Amino acid sequence: MSLPPPPLTAEARSAAGARGVAARQLRASVRAGLRDGTVRLADVLVDARRDDDRGRALARMRVVDLLASFPRIGPVRAAALMERVGIAANRRLGGLGHHQADALLEAFGEPPPSGRLVVLTGPSGVGKGTVVTHLRRMRPDLWVSVSATTRAPRSGEVDGVDYLFWPLERFAATVREGGFLEWAEFAGHRYGTPREPVAERLRSGQPVLLEIELQGARQVRAAMPEAVTVFLAPPSWADLESRLRGRGTEDDAAIGRRLARAREELSAAGEFDAVVVNDDVVRAAAELVDLL
Ligand code: ADP
Ligand code: 5GP
């Protein structure tokens, strides 16, 4: 037999009561907004996934109540619509799958929500990884894609966090299956962006960042012209060379291959939507935040 929960203090009861009132008011204002057209269904579905008070309040809303808020759709039509797109009658927004949410949007003639895709490129050693680390602190909602690579892990790199360290056979099989959004060979190794995790985040409205080299960035730009492409440039050639050497992760031959490639990459900077100079990491990250 489970014990009853401990009684709440008077303060906790009144705080919980105030949160409940705020949540009910929020749901009522969203229903009113759907009724008069000032709130978009896509925004409500995205917000219901947020991990904050607004998200939690919306996640508790019943789908049938949400749909019945639209003019000319009463509870009966709402229930019929849900049955047609395969949503259980008692489902709440927090329990909706991505496909069910997309089906609802389609039924209402709204395009599915899409997060912004940002592609960050630039020569090896310019500081892409360092700037992205700062950017993540400034924008915790940003999802940074984890690439697959055939190169060996550097000391401290973790499989599944920094990269998916795959053997060549697995990489090649994924290329054959069309599982990469883009892939390229760089300085003797292969690197690729697994397609599905990116598509899933964009579908749910989350901003996504890819940190990839030039050929891959070109492939993404061709396939997804709506992506924002950013080139991270060094303050000077000497800075680039000293950063790459200073990192101490490659031997002389590998540094030579990366520098040779860097000359070609630098000459392509003009192809991109924006060029950000990485003179100062915090400043460069702030510029990227503006582009997001
Ligand atoms: P990339 O990911 O582009 O290959 P890294 O982020 O690994 O580059 O950075 C390469 C080296 O340059 C690292 O040692 C890093 O600490 C250093 N670095 C990055 N940004 C700056 C900067 N703005 N000023 C000075 N050094 C930097
Ligand atoms: P590194 O070996 O220094 O981690 O990466 C080498 C280069 O590969 C960097 O310019 C990096 O941005 C790029 N890169 C990392 N992941 C990918 C990817 O998925 N696709 C492409 N095209 N390049 C990648």
Side-chain angles (χ1 to χ4, degrees):
M1 208 179 77
S2 62
L3 292 171
L8 291 178
T9 62
E11 292 79 34
R13 256 201 319 276
S14 99
R19 273 201 304 278
V21 170
R24 279 193 294 281
Q25 280 172 352
L26 171 75
R27 288 192 288 266
S29 85
V30 164
R31 281 198 297 271
L34 290 169
R35 199 170 304 125
D36 67 17
T38 53
V39 169
R40 284 174 358 113
L41 179 60
D43 293 331
V44 180
L45 296 178
V46 168
D47 284 357
R49 294 181 197 281
R50 281 168 38 168
D51 186 20
D52 57 13
D53 283 349
R54 182 179 175 81
R56 282 185 284 275
L58 291 176
R60 290 193 50 73
M61 192 169 182
R62 296 192 326 148
V63 177
V64 68
D65 293 337
L66 175 90
L67 299 184
S69 311
F70 282 88
R72 293 184 301 282
I73 298 189
V76 175
R77 284 188 70 189
L81 191 111
M82 287 167 65
E83 197 179 341
R84 181 155 62 80
V85 297
I87 299 174
N90 58 357
R91 181 72 75 219
R92 293 177 190 266
L93 293 193
L96 274 183
H98 286 296
H99 294 300
Q100 291 175 322
D102 287 353
L104 278 184
L105 290 170
E106 204 184 319
F108 281 82
E110 282 194 29
S114 181
R116 170 164 275 195
L117 176 63
V118 175
V119 179
L120 181 67
T121 193
S124 178
V126 69
K128 298 184 294 297
T130 311
V131 170
V132 169
T133 301
H134 277 265
L135 184 61
R136 290 177 107 140
R137 284 191 208 128
M138 295 163 93
R139 282 291 300 262
D141 61 322
L142 177 70
W143 185 75
V144 180
S145 163
V146 180
S147 298
T149 182
T150 59
R151 87 154 159 72
R154 292 178 186 139
S155 113
E157 282 184 332
V158 177
D159 189 26
V161 175
D162 299 287
Y163 278 107
L164 304 161
F165 293 101
W166 285 358
L168 183 58
E169 303 74 52
R170 179 164 182 194
F171 195 100
T174 306
V175 170
R176 280 196 301 276
E177 291 156 9
F180 286 125
L181 178 61
E182 60 73 38
W183 72 274
E185 197 153 335
F186 181 92
H189 304 288
R190 291 185 196 176
Y191 299 81
T193 304
R195 181 188 295 280
E196 193 42 41
V198 171
E200 191 184 319
R201 292 325 189 288
L202 291 175
R203 272 200 303 271
S204 71
Q206 206 176 350
V208 170
L209 184 122
L210 310 182
E211 189 242 285
I212 60 179
E213 53 68 68
L214 177 64
Q215 298 173 75
R218 285 177 172 153
Q219 291 170 43
V220 177
R221 199 182 46 209
M224 305 172 82
E226 69 280 11
V228 177
T229 57
V230 184
F231 188 90
L232 194 65
S236 70
W237 179 260
D239 281 306
L240 179 66
E241 200 168 340
S242 77
R243 284 180 196 175
L244 193 52
R245 290 190 194 284
R247 189 169 67 186
T249 49
E250 275 82 22
D251 60 24
D252 275 350
I255 288 175
R257 280 198 297 276
R258 285 173 181 242
L259 285 174
R261 187 71 169 256
R263 291 204 180 277
E264 185 195 331
E265 300 210 300
L266 285 173
S267 66
E271 293 175 21
F272 293 87
D273 296 322
V275 176
V276 172
V277 177
N278 181 21
D279 45 6
D280 176 85
V281 177
V282 177
R283 200 202 53 75
E287 252 190 79
L288 280 169
V289 169
D290 288 344
L291 290 164
L292 281 166

